[in-house]
Amino acid sequence: MKNLLLSTALLAASALPSFAQDYTPDPNAKPGGMITITYKDDVATLDPAIGYDWQNWSMIKSLFDGLMDYVPGTTELRPGLASSYEISEDGKVFTFTLREGVTFHNGREMTAEDVKFSLDRVTNPETQSPGAGFFASIAGYDAMASGGADTLSGVEVVDGKTVKIALSRPDATFLHVMALNFASIVPEEAVAEHGTDFGKHPVGTGAFKLNEWAIGQRLVFAKNEDYWRDGVPYLDGVTFEVGQEPIVALLRLQQGEVDVPGDGIPPAKFQEVMGDPDQAARVVEGGQLHTGYITLNVGIEPLDKLPVREAINMAINKERITQIINGRAVPATQPLPPSMPGYTEGYEGFAFDVEAAMVKLAEVGLEDGFTTKLYVMNTDPNPRIAQAIQQDLKAIGVNVEIRSLAQANVIEAGGAGEAPMIWSGGMAWIADFPDPSNFYGPILGCAGAGEGGWNWSKFCDESIDAMATEADSMTDPAAPERLEMWSDTYMKVMEQAPWVPVFNEQRYTMKSARMGGDDALYVDPVSIPVNYDYVFVTE
């Protein structure tokens, strides 16, 4: 995939013009109307500093904005709350000019102080943000992470509408980082009022605002009439119904009661849907930078032993698992998906070899196997995939107890380091932005291994971390030597086997007949699963 970081802008000072509207309104769009989205599980949080799963990601993106943004349906960067920016010749100082007249949902105008507060908050260890490590290149981050400071020294409020961010090193991904949900701008007074419950009472600058949250039943978003982008959103609002089994949601879609089944097409119904021309016409297929994997917690015995982790890699029949999801994936050999820059061509990974796996266990005195636990999200097909993993490991004498839980509970157990193994399905990694670094820092790097982080294997190798930092300290994100260094980094990771990469999945979404807007909005690579700001209804 082409990297769209505007790398030439990182080589010299640059500025983008200020403009109020940087998209072309859809001539077919009809303003108004409500749509209904369903999910099996309730939403854990709408706090942009905390939320980090595919279910709440697009919700948060519709409630909040960051300094940078993406052209709808693409990974092409554009300014967000910043009207323009300048970058120093050494690529280490970014100066952002904020848009005039942007207000929070509470009516207060956004200022540069809000930008500083938001960046300080997401990097403060007390927030326990799983995205804190994304900001590691900002000067003063290390002091914040260690608890030695309560503000980022590199973030300076120049005036009410200007923020200067100094980096400790060049960072080829920094503009992408400023477009992440984690970099969303929040008002200090709302955070102070609600404290740790801010995620249930979100206040942002986004296209929608939270109107109702009936826990375990529904969330209702209402159009932000004062949104700073002209002409959007088209919809009056979005209702998210939770507690809906995916098969029931599909039936309701067929009856015209649901517009998008948030959990996707149930695998058991996939062939039926695709075999019906009327239903298949409403299916949207899109590529994604995705890897599904099993995490192996290196801090829990006997997974702390490399031969054990190698044995588990050898025992998994990836071809069989892909058939459980109707072949909508290809077996994975490494953390990066094949279309990501930095992918190592020709690397075959661990071969499926039961006998060799048993030899590995015998090397560490575990020829009789051992007992462990596998955590899995409880939405189909993930429990069935977990059962396949259980059967594969039984063949080498490893007895696996399956813990099938709601998504939020699996994420909590992973972040706390309590889960020996996790099947990532339903939460599997889809790139936040199209750069190889995104598959490392939050899910394999030392920064993500802390309390609440998404590095559920709790793997931390400082020498590999140093390689990753060196790669990202290059100013040109597409430089061949940088991509080669990322390839080497992931090969070093695979030598330690903290994961079992299982498959790279294609993405399928279904929509009701009344839904309008470009298909790319329904497989938006950033606003997963749907870009609510730009879709509309046709009746």
Side-chain angles (χ1 to χ4, degrees):
M1 177 177 291
K2 182 180 180 183
N3 191 293
L4 297 167
L5 189 63
L6 306 178
S7 60
T8 55
L10 290 171
L11 303 180
S14 66
L16 290 182
S18 176
F19 36 71
Q21 185 166 295
D22 55 354
Y23 67 97
T24 302
D26 192 320
N28 300 309
K30 178 183 176 183
M34 297 282 295
I35 63 172
T36 299
I37 315 295
T38 60
Y39 286 105
K40 182 178 184 294
D41 294 327
D42 205 348
V43 178
T45 181
L46 291 173
D47 185 338
I50 305 296
Y52 204 19
D53 60 64
W54 63 269
Q55 181 176 336
N56 63 22
W57 194 253
S58 61
M59 296 183 190
I60 290 171
K61 192 160 285 292
S62 285
L63 295 171
F64 297 89
D65 298 301
L67 297 181
M68 298 297 293
D69 190 17
Y70 292 94
V71 174
T74 78
T75 54
E76 181 179 351
L77 279 165
R78 64 175 177 173
L81 294 177
S83 61
S84 62
Y85 61 85
E86 295 182 355
I87 308 172
S88 63
E89 292 186 6
D90 63 2
K92 293 172 64 175
V93 180
F94 291 69
T95 303
F96 295 93
T97 300
L98 307 184
R99 295 182 187 273
E100 297 285 346
V102 176
T103 57
F104 289 110
H105 297 154
N106 62 11
R108 180 174 69 76
E109 185 172 358
M110 180 203 66
T111 70
E113 290 286 354
D114 296 307
V115 176
K116 179 164 179 57
F117 168 77
S118 301
L119 294 177
D120 284 345
R121 176 175 181 257
V122 74
T123 53
N124 190 321
E126 293 183 2
T127 305
Q128 293 188 18
S129 172
F134 282 119
F135 304 90
S137 63
I138 297 178
Y141 171 84
D142 289 344
M144 284 285 283
S146 67
D150 56 10
T151 185
L152 288 165
S153 61
V155 181
E156 175 190 352
V157 174
V158 178
D159 56 44
K161 292 296 178 184
T162 310
V163 180
K164 183 179 291 185
I165 302 178
L167 308 184
S168 58
R169 57 174 173 79
D171 182 354
T173 70
F174 188 68
L175 289 178
H176 280 298
V177 169
M178 300 311 291
L180 291 175
N181 282 356
F182 297 118
S184 297
I185 310 307
V186 301
E188 183 173 5
E189 67 273 18
V191 174
E193 177 183 356
H194 298 291
T196 56
D197 212 26
F198 178 67
K200 292 290 192 294
H201 304 275
V203 179
T205 63
F208 293 92
K209 52 188 175 182
L210 179 64
N211 192 48
E212 177 191 356
W213 191 340
I215 303 298
Q217 300 179 52
R218 66 186 170 274
L219 298 87
V220 181
F221 285 9
K223 178 178 182 176
N224 178 7
E225 299 288 352
D226 299 317
Y227 190 47
W228 54 273
R229 285 196 192 277
D230 294 339
V232 289
Y234 301 120
L235 297 170
D236 288 334
V238 184
T239 298
F240 301 93
E241 296 185 4
V242 299
Q244 293 281 308
E245 289 293 336
I247 288 181
V248 175
L250 176 63
L251 178 62
R252 292 184 62 206
L253 183 145
Q254 293 166 343
Q255 295 172 343
E257 299 173 3
V258 166
D259 294 296
V260 177
D263 292 308
I265 304 168
K269 292 289 186 178
F270 183 75
Q271 297 296 347
E272 175 186 320
V273 168
M274 298 306 290
D276 179 344
D278 289 338
Q279 293 190 72
R282 298 200 299 275
V283 174
V284 181
E285 179 183 355
Q288 58 184 356
L289 295 171
H290 163 282
T291 301
Y293 52 91
I294 306 165
T295 60
L296 309 176
N297 192 325
V298 301
I300 295 178
E301 295 183 346
L303 300 176
D304 59 337
K305 299 178 177 62
L306 177 58
V308 173
R309 300 196 299 273
E310 292 174 328
I312 293 174
N313 267 272
M314 295 173 180
I316 303 302
N317 187 339
K318 300 175 185 179
E319 292 281 359
R320 182 165 68 109
I321 291 175
T322 62
Q323 294 311 307
I324 294 175
I325 59 169
N326 308 112
R328 289 182 285 171
V330 295
T333 64
Q334 57 194 282
L336 288 183
S339 55
M340 178 70 83
Y343 179 83
T344 305
E345 297 288 349
Y347 175 70
E348 297 182 357
F350 290 93
F352 173 52
D353 190 331
V354 173
E355 291 185 3
M358 295 176 71
V359 170
K360 284 289 183 181
L361 291 182
E363 286 181 14
V364 289
L366 291 171
E367 54 273 359
D368 295 327
F370 60 93
T371 298
T372 189
K373 295 178 182 178
L374 173 66
Y375 285 63
V376 59
M377 180 179 167
N378 60 7
T379 301
D380 188 66
N382 298 304
R384 290 191 289 126
I385 291 175
Q387 290 171 356
I389 294 169
Q390 181 187 50
Q391 293 169 7
D392 286 345
L393 294 182
K394 181 71 173 177
I396 63 170
V398 177
N399 296 303
V400 176
E401 175 190 338
I402 295 175
R403 299 291 307 278
S404 182
L405 304 170
Q407 181 185 65
N409 299 115
V410 178
I411 293 171
E412 182 180 11
E418 298 171 354
M421 299 169 59
I422 297 176
W423 162 243
S424 70
M427 309 162 294
W429 200 252
I430 302 172
D432 301 299
F433 50 83
D435 188 273
S437 68
N438 187 232
F439 272 74
Y440 182 79
I443 51 177
L444 285 165
C446 295
E451 179 75 22
W454 272 60
N455 181 348
W456 298 332
S457 67
K458 300 303 176 184
F459 173 73
C460 174
D461 186 310
E462 292 184 357
S463 65
I464 299 178
D465 252 29
M467 289 179 64
T469 298
E470 184 179 352
D472 276 350
S473 297
M474 300 179 185
T475 54
D476 182 0
E481 58 270 27
R482 178 175 183 265
L483 299 181
E484 183 177 353
M485 186 170 291
W486 269 118
S487 172
D488 292 344
T489 297
Y490 286 107
M491 292 300 96
K492 289 289 186 183
V493 168
M494 288 305 298
E495 289 176 7
Q496 297 299 316
W499 276 16
V500 181
V502 178
F503 58 53
N504 306 116
E505 187 175 0
Q506 190 77 343
R507 186 167 157 203
Y508 291 80
T509 300
M510 196 170 180
K511 60 181 180 177
S512 68
R514 73 187 193 115
M515 291 303 300
D518 192 286
D519 278 355
L521 299 172
Y522 296 89
V523 286
D524 192 302
V526 176
S527 297
I528 299 166
V530 179
N531 190 324
Y532 303 111
D533 298 8
Y534 294 90
V535 298
F536 55 88
V537 292
T538 57
E539 59 181 46

